[in-house]
Amino acid sequence: MSTTPPLPPAPALLLRYGELTLKGLNQDQFISRLRRNILRQTSTIAPVRVERLYNRMLVFPEQRTEQIARKLQHVFGLKSISPVWIAPPTPEAILPLARAVFLDALESYRGTPDVGSRVVTCRVETTRADKRFPIPSNVFDRQVGEHALANVANIQVRLDDPELTLGIDIRAEGAYLFARRLPGAAGLPLGSSGRGLCLLSGGIDSPVAAWMMMKRGMWMSFVTFHSYPYIGEPSKQKVLALARNLSKWQPNSRTYVVPFSACQEAIRDGAPESYRTVLYRRMMQRIASKLARAHDIDALVTGESLGQVASQTIENMTCIAAASELPVLRPLVGYDKDDTILLARKIGTFDTSSRQEPDCCTVFMPEKPVIHGDLELCTKFEDALPVSALVDAACAGVELVDFEAEV
Amino acid sequence: MRARLGRIAPAPDAPLARARGISSTGVTTPFVYLDHAATTPLDPRVRDALLPWLGERFGNPSSRHKAGAAAAQAIDAARGEVARAIGARREEVVFTSGGTEANALAVLGGARARREHGRHALVGPTEHACVRECVQALAREGFEVETLRLDARGALDLEHAAARLRPDTILVAQMLVQNEVGTIYPVRELARRVRARSKHALLHVDAVQALGKLELDVVDLGCDTLALSAHKAHGPQGAGALFVREGVVLEPLVHGGGQERGLRSGTPNVAAIVGFGAAAKLAEELRPRHAHALQTLRTRLVEGLARIPGARAFEPGAPHVAPHIVALLIPGVPSEVRMHHLEELGVVVSAGSACQAQKQSISPSLLALGLTPDESRTLLRISMSRTTTPTDIDTLLTALAQVEAKLAPPKR
């Protein structure tokens, strides 16, 4: 067999939708939302052109195709992404390209650990969206196999769970050939499920909670409470670094930094010590809901997990959420810490969360926080405090920090 | 020189995000900077000297055309200034990226080059992390490492050091000025003991905190290598130097182009090195006058602190203490809280050394100095330079009194 000329880089990326294919009549809205998100998420890397096919989308990057493909793995609503080579939808055009794509993929796969020159299992998988293509899929699979795989050493056809699959997606517009399927982020397109405001601390949980809601299509903003001068600028920078980490998954994001020491001082000096933590958090809910209402946000999101710390008992969660004017979503409520850590690693926030920075000054911590808080007592203690003045002052001092899509 | 540096800009945000609105750190407050042991402001004369090398003047000092020769000449001139400032000869100065690299080159390169003479290394009790952790790396390479000791006053225990020195000791690393508390260690006396007992030993001195503050003479100190950093003496960040006494052999850490006598390959940072030369020259010219002024400021500060209830200056090894560093102990809240309260009032000091503050851990040096973990957590470092004025000190003292009143435990 003569040597095949080297394969040029894939000119396009074929995107397969995730859950949104189930969405019937709204599908069009979902897809145009997804398309907009794709354009915005990739805009910091290279210009792309997007084409809609039936049930698929094609992205043509001007350059940096591989980097765009990795970026698309962070766009919610996609099941998988394949770099594709395109041929006219005729057997004569497909066959030589199929061989080139297969050999390129095989060479690359042999470079991965523990593969080398051993026998590699493979198959061809044709789908015909355009049934006018003259050859049935399973017959064409065999023809391609005979041509593309001819005289290739140490390969073996296996239909069930092969190591390499040469995919051929034949449509009226063209035939799309691919050997890789990169997993997408799944979920729903961002912005298709309203807007949320996540209470972001420097910890592990809250960024994961924000990500889970993003995955369900909720556009996230962040709010963090900064008790300067009890803690310093580096603590704030840590939270902003988390917001920036999460901007990998959202084309842009806004963080509201709320000055919080006046609230904490007032509660420390004017309320019983054991209720401090619950009262701090009720104050946070009030401020967050006020900000949310002012910025057309529909819900608050927290990283609370039932029973994880003293403020997350069912009684205390009830006391805390009662101060919110908006629904409080807690996607981690049933999660174990280990599950959350696994996700934090996966989404890229764990290392930032692990950075050692004080997130609350020890002078504000009660020695023995209440475990089973009582809502009536909370409101009674708050009657002695200038609650609305504190909330207004905190909101007036808010600093906004915006991030563009993170690479 | 002006003591005030203008405004606290939202600088930390800038690379991270576009910040809008009013920063919680108070965008418009002018501030008093009293953290000169962390870094010093660039002297405008230094900036003037280095800026052409970030503009119209450029060249690779290794190039054999005239642009290269001009850069080589500029570096050589800087080398002369640094050498003069420490009593060395020009050929004995090796430029590095900073104090950390200079220390690493001496400690790692010095020990590795002496393997056949022994494997025993001695390290000072309160070294900077960049020396301490290099020595730990040596221990992992099979060297036997021992730590020197302080006596009850916090001075270096020379008798203990003499007893630990052996014929197979190949490295002694001892800093000159302690970066967290300002103790000046008797390096000269240590050197004599090293020479008498360990003929193969390399004596390395970290003098990063001493340039421009103490009279530095490498011959009188009797060391083999000595590390310096430009930005601790009103020079730019990104340049440092290692004095390597003639005849002393080191194994390079970075291989390649053979720059800096083969001890530090890589195209040098010409602009920063030119700035270092200018900074070293100024530091030495201005030192006699300013060392005296710093001493007066230090006295003013220590006396003022004595009037604040509970506060005391921590001065291990006194009276051998550098004129520009005062360590302050006040029981109560962690130093970081006190530091941010002072910052809010426009006064910038350090809660422990900058690196330690990031790690949130307790400095091993402070524990070696006999402080309890609780005391270590409350230690504030106030450090001055030639730009510090008596008004700065008075502003700090007033602010500190205000902060103490606010942080006093609330009445129940």
Side-chain angles (χ1 to χ4, degrees), chain A residues 1 44 47 53 67 73 80 95 107 115 117 132 141-142 170 202 237 248 272 291 325 343 362-363 381 383 391 394:
Chain A
M1 193 79 196
T44 55
L53 305 174
Q67 197 182 343
Q73 291 186 277
S80 65
L95 285 175
E107 189 187 349
V115 179
S117 57
R132 286 172 305 177
D141 284 351
R142 252 194 317 278
I170 301 171
Q237 295 300 336
K248 210 176 252 188
L291 287 172
E325 299 170 37
L343 254 181
T362 48
V363 305
F381 297 146
D383 285 343
V391 170

Side-chain angles (χ1 to χ4, degrees), chain A residues 253-299:
Chain A
S253 68
R254 168 163 289 184
T255 305
Y256 303 87
V257 182
V258 180
F260 199 57
S261 45
C263 292
Q264 286 196 294
E265 284 166 351
I267 291 167
R268 178 195 61 187
D269 299 342
E273 180 175 334
S274 64
Y275 266 76
R276 276 182 198 169
T277 310
V278 171
L279 297 182
Y280 297 151
R281 287 177 186 276
R282 281 174 55 84
M283 204 62 96
M284 293 179 186
Q285 302 273 321
R286 284 195 189 90
I287 295 167
S289 9
K290 188 172 158 126
L291 287 172
R293 297 205 144 200
H295 293 92
D296 290 323
I297 293 171
D298 312 300

Side-chain angles (χ1 to χ4, degrees), chain B residues 128-256:
Chain B
H128 188 274
C130 70
V131 168
R132 199 176 60 236
E133 292 185 18
C134 277
V135 173
Q136 285 165 5
L138 287 177
R140 289 191 294 274
E141 289 177 23
F143 287 86
E144 178 194 349
V145 173
E146 282 188 275
T147 305
L148 298 177
R149 223 165 55 181
L150 298 174
D151 66 17
R153 296 176 304 113
L156 188 67
D157 186 341
L158 286 166
E159 297 327 302
H160 170 260
R164 304 320 302 164
L165 285 161
R166 317 193 306 222
D168 66 335
T169 305
I170 43 78
L171 172 72
V172 181
Q174 171 58 54
M175 67 191 343
L176 184 55
V177 174
Q178 214 287 332
N179 54 304
E180 289 158 280
V181 296
T183 311
I184 302 173
Y185 293 111
V187 167
R188 195 161 155 265
E189 290 67 24
L190 178 65
R192 292 178 186 163
R193 287 163 176 78
V194 172
R195 300 304 169 219
R197 289 168 178 78
S198 311
K199 68 174 178 155
H200 297 297
L202 175 122
L203 174 60
H204 171 65
V205 175
D206 172 2
V208 162
Q209 290 293 348
L211 183 63
K213 309 299 191 307
L214 308 186
E215 183 179 312
L216 277 178
D217 184 328
V218 288
V219 178
D220 185 50
L221 281 174
C223 58
D224 296 302
T225 52
L226 177 135
L228 298 172
S229 166
H231 76 100
K232 307 281 193 195
H234 306 279
Q237 294 168 349
L242 185 67
F243 156 75
V244 185
R245 192 165 54 75
E246 188 184 10
V248 166
V249 180
L250 302 177
E251 209 176 281
L253 304 179
V254 183
H255 302 266

Side-chain angles (χ1 to χ4, degrees), chain B residues 222-299:
Chain B
C223 58
D224 296 302
T225 52
L226 177 135
L228 298 172
S229 166
H231 76 100
K232 307 281 193 195
H234 306 279
Q237 294 168 349
L242 185 67
F243 156 75
V244 185
R245 192 165 54 75
E246 188 184 10
V248 166
V249 180
L250 302 177
E251 209 176 281
L253 304 179
V254 183
H255 302 266
Q259 288 90 343
E260 298 297 307
R261 292 196 279 136
L263 286 175
R264 206 281 187 174
S265 285
T267 301
N269 185 348
V270 180
I273 288 169
V274 168
F276 190 8
K281 181 165 189 265
L282 273 173
E284 210 24 43
E285 275 172 17
L286 301 174
R287 184 181 49 76
R289 185 150 49 92
H290 284 289
H292 183 259
L294 280 174
Q295 202 59 63
T296 312
L297 288 175
R298 193 179 192 285
T299 308

